[in-house]
Amino acid sequence: MYDCFYASVFENENPELRAVPLAVQQKQIIVTCNYEARRRGLHKLQLIREAKKICPEVVIVLGEDLTRFRNASKELYAFLRSFSWNSKVERLGFDEVSCDMRSVVIDPNVSQSPLLLFLPETSFPLPFSATYYIIDHNVGLLNANDFTNSYFCLSKSDPTAGFAFNASQLAGHAYPEESNDISGALQLDPLRLRLHLTSHLAQHLREALHSEKGYTCTVGVSTNKLLSKLVGNLHKPNSQTTLLPPYGFETEEPDNATLFVDDHEVGKIPGIGFKLAQKLRAHVLQRPAEFDDGLVYGGTKEKVLVRDVRTFPGMSAETLEQVLGGTGVPHGIGARVWGLLNAYDDTAISQARDVPKQISIEDSYIRLDTMEEVLKELRMLSLSLLKRMHADLLEDEEDEDKAETLPINGTRKRWLAYPKVVRLSTRPRPPQNPDGSRNRSFARISRSAPMPNFVFNLKENVDIRCERLVTEALIPLFRKLHPEKSGWNLSLVNVAAANMVDAASDKGGVGRDIAKMFKRQDDVLKQWRVDDEDDTLSVETGVIDKQLPQDAIAQDTVAMDVSKPDKDRTGSEDFPTTSQQSTGDTGDWESEDEDMLDDDMFRCECGAVMPVFAMAAHGRWHEQN
DNA sequence: TGGGGTCCT
DNA sequence: AGGACCC
């Protein structure tokens, strides 16, 4: 993870800040601070007042707008990804990245279909990789007679890209600590050798990140996510730690991995959150559910360590399933937690996703209890949301002849994905107890509706689209959440674009053929042209359109995506919306039609009625029939 | 205690 | 739609 990321972003913008104690504020708390500030006693998630009392000289910058952090995070992420050979690079939050450097070989003798073996967790001999992975490859390059003068190759295609290193030594810290030179043992322990190489690669990446991007980071090196994360915490700013073998795959002896995990409090294990930790503590402490939370955050007074749970009489995956399971708890939680307690974690590092699953904007409030204020906030949040959709979901269209993309400011853009759903969430402030105490809860409530198509129409001014989103979607949703005219008091409002559906990357001729098909309605199409080669629902409709006649396609799609929202919008009596009434201002085509089509609907030549995003799939159906 | 995100039920 | 988890 990057060291005190938010603070580092500000320091990179303004290097003078590096020398002073710097804290980043969101609302009433310090969300992070640089190490200069930590030396003076400040820490994360500290109240502003407290921080000022302890360190009056602290420089405080506001960090509620995440744009700069998001941009920096993306840039650093792309940088790290550029080193990867397998694209298995995953981001967690803004400041944490996991890279899968593990070795994977395909053994043609074992199976016809590729069999993946994760070498660090086996004693499989090295190296005959059919597929090159960076650590495998570099293990293969070693000269067994001279580990001290090794060369790490960073590129499959360019042998000159790389760095010299000493493979007999570990880079950075080790756990447990030990003397660094173990060259005699190397040949006997392939896992250790790999960890050595990985530690040098990690160091190289850290140095590159620092020299080329200006950021320091802290890294953990091990064989799975759990161990890498935990071991990374040991030496914190600008450093790295490797968990040394033995890991105990076949040994009965206590191994380093188990010993290491054993010393953690159960709640510190990633994957064991507040609820699970409470249940585990209660079970081990026999009965009493652990008196806790005085007034402040976090830990309990009686510590329950992983060891205490793991070695508790009768403990097993099955027992844990009993202890932890219940309604709402994922199946297999017992096995999962049992694995974590035993230093085992098979969670994969997934390939990088280009588009997020969801985009949301939120703000919190001391008090928000009038409709006027709510309206103002909804406008601001919506505008931010639309801008974020532009930033994260829009791609430059390189193919000029591709047609249908909309010029904005001279450049053509296309949507990478379409959120199908807009969601409004609020956090109502808990009512006062009779005794006057506050019953704090962070629970949110939410309602969602189909994302109106007009938000994708780049020809329309963003402010107009924002206003329509507020009046046509968000206000009705708000009324559903809070039917009473008043009496509510919100501490948070969140607007999200969710259920992201990839625009089919298609790129083929299909898009053009579709466009031809609907030529006669070109004027109509134009206003929706943002949907473009719109296979936006290809996953769903792609299946349907091969099995059903076109009427069924249209009706099914309509039922799913349009009639529901329409009911919602018109069902709100107090807040008549413009979805039906205002259609007159969206074009004159509709008056020429016999029946009233909904705003977002389209009729094909064949008579089928469908939302715009279903057109591509519908077109393909025509082609096949 | 913030402003985000993911996955599961 | 909500809950639990993560940063």
Side-chain angles (χ1 to χ4, degrees), chain A residues 3-287:
Chain A
D3 298 320
C4 48
F5 182 56
Y6 287 8
S8 294
V9 172
F10 282 108
E11 288 179 351
N12 273 282
E13 286 179 6
N14 180 2
E16 289 175 19
L17 292 174
R18 292 185 202 277
V20 305
L22 176 69
V24 181
Q25 173 184 194
Q26 283 175 343
K27 294 297 179 319
Q28 45 211 343
I29 65 169
I30 303 278
V31 287
T32 195
C33 56
N34 66 6
Y35 277 83
E36 201 54 47
R38 291 185 200 198
R39 256 171 244 129
R40 294 161 154 85
L42 302 198
H43 56 83
K44 290 174 165 185
L45 305 186
Q46 188 172 36
L47 287 171
I48 292 284
R49 303 210 200 138
E50 215 177 307
K52 280 182 174 167
K53 208 188 308 174
I54 294 170
C55 175
E57 332 89 87
V58 65
V59 175
I60 296 181
V61 289
L62 199 62
E64 290 168 13
D65 182 345
L66 304 186
T67 306
R68 46 159 53 80
F69 312 131
R70 186 178 298 111
N71 291 341
S73 177
K74 275 188 193 172
E75 185 188 339
L76 301 188
Y77 180 49
F79 180 71
L80 292 176
R81 230 180 349 180
S82 73
F83 287 88
S84 179
W85 290 18
N86 57 12
S87 289
K88 290 182 179 175
V89 181
E90 200 180 67
R91 206 166 51 135
L92 186 57
F94 284 176
D95 71 339
E96 209 179 281
V97 173
S98 304
C99 304
D100 189 340
M101 308 296 190
R102 291 185 296 186
S103 335
V104 178
V105 299
I106 296 169
D107 182 351
N109 298 318
V110 174
S111 168
Q112 290 290 63
S113 60
L115 174 67
L116 301 183
L117 301 172
F118 293 82
L119 281 190
E121 297 171 9
T122 72
S123 52
F124 210 79
L126 301 178
F128 43 76
S129 1
T131 303
Y132 279 153
Y133 282 74
I134 191 163
I135 296 299
D136 278 329
H137 183 83
N138 280 284
V139 167
L141 293 180
L142 291 175
N143 175 358
N145 297 318
D146 188 8
F147 283 143
T148 58
N149 296 300
S150 301
Y151 183 77
F152 199 110
C153 177
L154 286 169
S155 165
K156 275 179 285 191
S157 51
D158 178 6
T160 68
F163 57 90
F165 74 107
N166 180 351
S168 71
Q169 288 189 341
L170 197 73
H173 298 272
Y175 179 92
E177 296 174 34
E178 64 155 38
S179 80
N180 249 345
D181 192 342
I182 48 95
S183 44
L186 275 181
Q187 287 138 326
L188 301 177
D189 188 349
L191 171 56
R192 177 151 193 153
L193 185 57
R194 294 168 175 287
L195 291 168
H196 274 218
L197 296 210
T198 309
S199 74
H200 285 277
L201 175 56
Q203 184 152 76
H204 180 80
L205 292 179
R206 289 201 300 119
E207 287 167 0
L209 193 74
H210 191 192
S211 63
E212 295 187 32
K213 299 294 179 180
Y215 286 82
T216 66
C217 65
T218 294
V219 172
V221 175
S222 189
T223 55
N224 66 41
K225 270 190 184 176
L226 200 225
L227 295 173
S228 306
K229 281 180 77 154
L230 289 181
V231 82
N233 289 331
L234 292 187
H235 296 94
K236 283 237 63 168
N238 191 19
S239 192
Q240 64 179 68
T241 312
T242 302
L243 181 60
L244 292 177
Y247 280 32
F249 302 119
E250 285 156 20
T251 59
E252 295 291 324
E253 313 269 325
D255 56 279
N256 284 345
T258 308
L259 287 175
F260 174 56
V261 174
D262 264 359
D263 284 328
H264 289 79
E265 272 183 76
V266 284
K268 292 286 180 49
I269 302 302
I272 302 181
F274 182 78
K275 297 282 184 173
L276 290 178
Q278 285 292 78
K279 288 184 186 177
L280 291 174
R281 291 189 196 107
H283 186 255
V284 166
L285 296 174
Q286 299 288 45
R287 275 311 187 143

Side-chain angles (χ1 to χ4, degrees), chain A residues 262-471:
Chain A
D262 264 359
D263 284 328
H264 289 79
E265 272 183 76
V266 284
K268 292 286 180 49
I269 302 302
I272 302 181
F274 182 78
K275 297 282 184 173
L276 290 178
Q278 285 292 78
K279 288 184 186 177
L280 291 174
R281 291 189 196 107
H283 186 255
V284 166
L285 296 174
Q286 299 288 45
R287 275 311 187 143
E290 182 72 15
F291 78 91
D292 53 12
D293 64 16
L295 294 171
V296 215
Y297 114 104
T300 46
K301 259 316 164 208
E302 310 172 68
K303 295 190 171 185
V304 174
L305 305 184
V306 167
R307 178 187 301 105
D308 302 325
V309 181
R310 186 177 63 78
T311 62
F312 195 78
M315 195 50 69
S316 69
E318 294 71 32
T319 306
L320 286 174
E321 187 72 30
Q322 294 297 119
V323 170
L324 303 174
T327 59
V329 177
H331 291 114
I333 189 68
R336 175 95 231 280
V337 169
W338 181 242
L340 295 176
L341 298 180
N342 287 278
Y344 175 80
D345 176 16
D346 62 1
T347 311
I349 293 176
S350 54
Q351 304 234 344
R353 238 203 321 264
D354 39 341
V355 155
K357 295 243 166 190
Q358 155 193 323
I359 296 176
S360 78
I361 303 283
E362 70 190 41
D363 206 344
S364 59
Y365 311 91
I366 305 295
R367 88 185 284 213
L368 183 62
D369 56 4
T370 72
M371 202 56 203
E372 271 200 333
E373 301 262 39
V374 166
L375 235 156
K376 202 175 68 183
E377 294 305 323
L378 288 180
R379 278 197 257 260
M380 293 199 45
L381 294 170
S382 298
L383 191 58
S384 298
L385 184 67
L386 290 181
K387 288 184 172 170
R388 280 256 279 130
M389 285 172 55
H390 289 181
D392 295 0
L393 264 29
L394 231 37
E395 186 190 55
D396 289 339
E397 176 62 81
E398 65 290 340
D399 188 352
E400 281 301 318
D401 139 88
K402 183 82 173 184
E404 273 101 68
T405 48
L406 287 169
I408 54 171
N409 298 336
T411 63
R412 290 166 175 275
K413 302 276 191 179
R414 63 180 282 263
W415 293 96
L416 288 168
Y418 300 88
K420 288 194 302 182
V421 163
V422 56
R423 182 179 60 226
L424 178 68
S425 310
T426 65
R427 186 208 291 153
R429 198 175 301 285
Q432 287 267 46
N433 283 340
D435 60 358
S437 66
R438 84 292 181 131
N439 228 3
R440 59 179 168 158
S441 135
F442 295 88
R444 299 168 181 215
I445 53 178
S446 70
R447 293 295 182 271
S448 54
M451 181 69 80
N453 275 338
F454 61 74
V455 306
F456 303 118
N457 183 357
L458 298 178
K459 277 183 148 179
E460 197 79 67
N461 189 315
V462 68
D463 298 293
I464 307 275
R465 284 181 283 145
C466 173
E467 193 58 32
R468 283 190 71 185
L469 185 60
V470 170
T471 62

